[in-house]
Amino acid sequence: MGAPTASDFMKVKVPKGATEVKGAVQINPREDIHLLSFVTDEENAARIAEDLRSEEPLRTRKYMIPPTAELFGHLGLDEPQTLEGVRWAGVCPPCVGDQRRSEVAWIEIYVHAGAQGKARVYLQAY
């Protein structure tokens, strides 16, 4: 269970041309956590964030909550909450009427800008 499984659960398409695509499913007793990450251009990252239908746009948090568990670290990546300048948005799809993601209780996105207009996208859903 990797990137295709996580992408399918989240109903998020990895953009054409994306690189460093990684994904996993962490099996838990209560709810499984689906992880997906890739590098794409800033425009694609912004479109993916908009498609989540969060009530608030991507934004830099004034403070980041330290991760309580290693999630993306299992994929060989830094935990997005620890990255300076990372932007975040989160949403409960059923709460905003997103029928495409009716099986998703919560989905969040982190976008970390890189060089040459590229950004690493981190998505986490359960």
Side-chain angles (χ1 to χ4, degrees):
M1 291 191 285
T5 303
S7 174
D8 185 53
F9 176 77
M10 296 178 191
K11 305 296 187 247
V12 171
K13 290 185 180 180
V14 175
K16 258 188 185 167
T19 60
E20 301 178 42
V21 179
K22 299 180 180 199
V25 179
Q26 182 184 60
I27 306 299
N28 295 309
R30 289 190 180 168
E31 52 203 7
D32 298 338
I33 299 174
H34 294 73
L35 306 170
L36 180 64
S37 183
F38 49 85
V39 175
T40 189
D41 60 56
E42 282 276 356
E43 287 179 13
N44 281 334
R47 273 195 295 275
I48 291 166
E50 287 172 15
D51 184 59
L52 297 181
R53 302 181 184 173
S54 175
E55 293 178 353
E56 298 202 20
L58 272 176
R59 62 200 176 279
T60 304
R61 287 182 158 180
K62 291 180 182 167
Y63 62 91
M64 295 306 276
I65 300 167
T68 57
E70 182 180 273
L71 296 173
F72 288 95
H74 290 292
L75 300 175
L77 301 170
D78 292 325
E79 297 301 325
Q81 304 93 317
T82 66
L83 301 171
E84 190 170 329
V86 71
R87 293 172 291 150
W88 174 89
V91 66
C92 160
C95 300
V96 296
D98 187 350
Q99 297 303 317
R100 300 166 301 162
R101 298 184 177 98
S102 61
E103 294 183 19
V104 178
W106 179 258
I107 187 167
E108 57 189 30
I109 184 171
Y110 295 86
V111 176
H112 189 243
Q116 301 166 345
K118 298 288 185 182
R120 174 163 291 281
V121 174
Y122 299 81
L123 290 146
Q124 174 180 327
Y126 56 86

